[in-house]
Amino acid sequence: MQVAAALTAGIALFGAAPVEDDLPGVLAADLGVPHEEMVRLVAALTTPLGSQPGLRELGDTNTLRRRPVVGLDTERGLWARPGDFLHEALDWAAETCGDHPDLLKRFDKRRQDVCEEHASRTLAAVFGDAWVHAGATYPAPGNPDIDALVAMPGALLVIEAKGGRFTDPGRRAAPGRVNKKIREFVDKALAQNARTIAYLGADASSLRDRNKRRLVLPDHLPPAVSVIVTLDRVDPFATHLPDGGKRHAEPPDGTWLVALADLVMVADILRHPAEFYAYAYTRAAIAKVGGPQVFVEVEALAAWLDHRIQPVQPAPQEIVFLGTGNEALNNYYTHVAAPGSPTPARPASGVPPEVLDALDLVHRERSRHWSDLAIAALAVPPDDWRSVRTALRAARSATGTRRERKRARRAADGIRFSPRLTVYVRPADDESPLPSLGPDVLLLRTP
């Protein structure tokens, strides 16, 4: 059947699928949906065998991409790899609504709403509901709103969400369509974030929440991190963000352009505010200078987890490529549970929990230093925390060796990781004078 499909309809199927005499009935039984409704749905998902005799080139539109059920006759059909449809479901829905302009308009509006809502919800899971504001507004021509704003003591992120659709000609890199989407997804969003950041830096006294109440931001906020979130995946736009379009303004410190699905992935892995904030800051800085080049977000996150990628300014005509990361992320997200098969551990930043706890204390007691310390601490490669881990073990050991006690004393006097970070490890009952707790000092207290 797969050979026949390939030869007669230009269809190549990679994956076995049984021929079902009543495919709607099978799906209706599995999903608990009335059979009549499933008949209509399957019909809208079906490409009849032999219906694409003119499909010859890779650039041709293949109906099977969005209508993945191969229809044989009446209700007989096969559906290979139904899970793949998740990647095309939104495009299929838009195509299905195409003959109904009002319905398509409502669908597009809902796409934008969902992009904004899920971006805010994802950020709230990391930073907390109290610090994430959706739909805040400020007085300026056009009555602009901020799709999502993270404003907590020590951290400020401005997020512009773009739920627009990418059409088939755009996917095929038709220059006119690509330029149009660059203006929509990139240039316009950069200008919007730049305007918001300028307003917040000058005078945020007239900021209002979505219910028109005054929104008072915390004191001593650092410069904002700019983020653009797209519902559709447009990785090449993120890769070439610094080269771009006819924008009249952009945030001064760069912008992290990320697909919504990748934002959710990053938040799932980097669950502590300091981890997420430092990664977002780094990705924006990488986009600012143009190196290393990031082709897909999962590779950037894997490299950051492994060895803390940092911005690199390419020389003229130079391309700085991203170093390879391990397969831990792919293994974690592609794992299929099977009897006796261990579940891969969730990849982690490798920062000792005591360091994250110390950053939490900084956030509570001297939030003006939190941004600098979070960025500096999360720039330390995971293996370099070995000296702190050793000092923590020694400080907790009542019967430690002479070497361990020596290491504990050295850590109490400070371990210097960079000009921006020195870590002190001291027992809670240590009454010796404390170091001056400046923006480059992190104090860890052991029980």
Side-chain angles (χ1 to χ4, degrees), residues 91-130:
D91 285 344
W92 168 82
E95 187 177 90
T96 303
C97 295
D99 294 332
H100 308 278
D102 290 341
L103 184 60
L104 183 60
K105 184 178 180 179
R106 289 198 295 271
F107 173 73
D108 286 340
K109 173 65 166 61
R110 193 63 194 131
R111 281 179 58 106
Q112 178 64 29
D113 292 343
V114 165
C115 191
E116 295 177 15
E117 292 164 6
H118 278 271
S120 295
R121 194 176 305 157
T122 298
L123 294 165
V126 176
F127 294 97
D129 291 327

Side-chain angles (χ1 to χ4, degrees), residues 295-355:
F295 294 101
V296 291
E297 194 64 44
V298 67
E299 292 180 355
L301 180 57
W304 188 87
L305 292 173
D306 283 353
H307 49 267
R308 299 295 190 268
I309 56 169
Q310 294 297 315
V312 178
Q313 178 74 59
Q317 307 304 315
E318 179 190 20
I319 298 176
V320 178
F321 289 101
L322 186 68
T324 57
N326 63 45
E327 291 297 312
L329 279 170
N330 283 332
N331 293 339
Y332 179 68
Y333 283 112
T334 61
H335 174 72
V336 178
S341 173
T343 300
R346 180 173 62 86
S349 68
V351 178
E354 295 84 356
V355 172

Side-chain angles (χ1 to χ4, degrees), residues 6-50:
L7 293 178
T8 65
I11 293 168
L13 297 176
F14 300 93
V19 175
E20 300 289 353
D21 291 331
D22 181 11
L23 183 58
V26 172
L27 295 173
D30 286 345
L31 300 175
V33 176
H35 184 269
E36 296 77 11
E37 293 183 12
M38 191 56 67
V39 168
R40 292 194 296 271
L41 178 59
V42 169
L45 291 170
T46 294
T47 299
L49 187 64

Side-chain angles (χ1 to χ4, degrees), residues 62-102:
N62 186 353
T63 304
L64 193 70
R65 176 181 166 212
R66 293 185 187 139
R67 300 176 184 271
V69 176
V70 178
L72 304 178
D73 53 61
T74 61
E75 295 183 353
R76 294 177 69 236
L78 61 88
W79 190 350
R81 298 173 61 91
D84 291 350
F85 180 65
L86 288 174
H87 301 286
E88 300 296 334
L90 290 178
D91 285 344
W92 168 82
E95 187 177 90
T96 303
C97 295
D99 294 332
H100 308 278
D102 290 341

Side-chain angles (χ1 to χ4, degrees), residues 42-395:
V42 169
L45 291 170
T46 294
T47 299
L49 187 64
S51 64
Q52 301 191 92
L55 182 61
R56 291 290 181 266
E57 304 294 333
L58 287 176
D60 294 340
T61 297
N62 186 353
T63 304
L64 193 70
R65 176 181 166 212
R66 293 185 187 139
R67 300 176 184 271
V69 176
V70 178
L72 304 178
D73 53 61
T74 61
E75 295 183 353
R76 294 177 69 236
L78 61 88
W79 190 350
R81 298 173 61 91
D84 291 350
F85 180 65
L86 288 174
H87 301 286
E88 300 296 334
L90 290 178
D91 285 344
W92 168 82
E95 187 177 90
T96 303
C97 295
D99 294 332
H100 308 278
D102 290 341
L103 184 60
L104 183 60
K105 184 178 180 179
R106 289 198 295 271
F107 173 73
D108 286 340
K109 173 65 166 61
R110 193 63 194 131
R111 281 179 58 106
Q112 178 64 29
D113 292 343
V114 165
C115 191
E116 295 177 15
E117 292 164 6
H118 278 271
S120 295
R121 194 176 305 157
T122 298
L123 294 165
V126 176
F127 294 97
D129 291 327
W131 308 121
V132 179
H133 311 282
T137 60
Y138 57 95
N143 299 314
D145 66 340
I146 309 170
D147 291 336
L149 177 67
V150 178
M152 78 172 200
L156 182 64
L157 294 93
V158 172
I159 295 88
E160 179 64 27
K162 291 299 179 186
R165 290 184 287 114
F166 220 83
T167 60
D168 285 341
R171 293 288 179 196
R172 291 195 292 265
R177 298 299 182 91
V178 170
N179 290 335
K180 177 182 177 181
K181 290 303 178 182
I182 287 176
R183 290 192 295 270
E184 177 186 341
F185 289 173
V186 181
D187 295 342
K188 182 180 179 181
L190 287 173
Q192 289 171 310
N193 274 4
R195 179 171 61 174
T196 297
I197 290 170
Y199 171 79
L200 295 176
D203 176 18
S205 61
S206 298
L207 194 66
R208 295 289 186 271
D209 66 17
R210 69 189 324 161
N211 296 315
K212 309 303 180 183
R213 297 171 300 197
R214 187 184 177 196
L215 180 56
V216 180
L217 301 185
D219 295 329
H220 308 299
L221 287 172
V225 176
S226 171
V227 183
I228 299 172
V229 179
T230 63
L231 184 59
D232 273 2
R233 181 174 295 281
V234 287
D235 292 325
F237 287 6
T239 302
H240 301 289
L241 186 63
D243 300 331
K246 299 180 180 179
R247 57 198 66 148
H248 65 271
E250 57 186 300
D253 298 320
T255 294
W256 177 30
L257 192 155
V258 60
L260 178 61
D262 288 338
L263 182 78
V264 173
M265 173 194 67
V266 172
D268 181 44
I269 299 299
L270 306 179
R271 301 183 181 184
H272 190 278
E275 296 173 327
F276 187 99
Y277 176 79
Y279 181 80
Y281 173 89
T282 301
R283 288 291 287 111
I286 287 173
K288 174 70 174 178
V289 302
Q293 281 207 340
V294 175
F295 294 101
V296 291
E297 194 64 44
V298 67
E299 292 180 355
L301 180 57
W304 188 87
L305 292 173
D306 283 353
H307 49 267
R308 299 295 190 268
I309 56 169
Q310 294 297 315
V312 178
Q313 178 74 59
Q317 307 304 315
E318 179 190 20
I319 298 176
V320 178
F321 289 101
L322 186 68
T324 57
N326 63 45
E327 291 297 312
L329 279 170
N330 283 332
N331 293 339
Y332 179 68
Y333 283 112
T334 61
H335 174 72
V336 178
S341 173
T343 300
R346 180 173 62 86
S349 68
V351 178
E354 295 84 356
V355 172
L356 298 178
D357 291 342
L359 288 170
D360 289 340
L361 186 62
V362 170
H363 175 251
R364 293 192 297 271
E365 297 185 353
R366 49 188 181 110
S367 61
R368 65 190 182 280
H369 296 156
W370 188 88
S371 174
D372 289 338
L373 284 170
I375 292 168
L378 272 297
V380 176
D383 290 345
D384 290 1
W385 288 111
R386 187 180 300 111
S387 57
V388 167
R389 291 190 177 92
T390 300
L392 288 168
R393 287 195 300 270

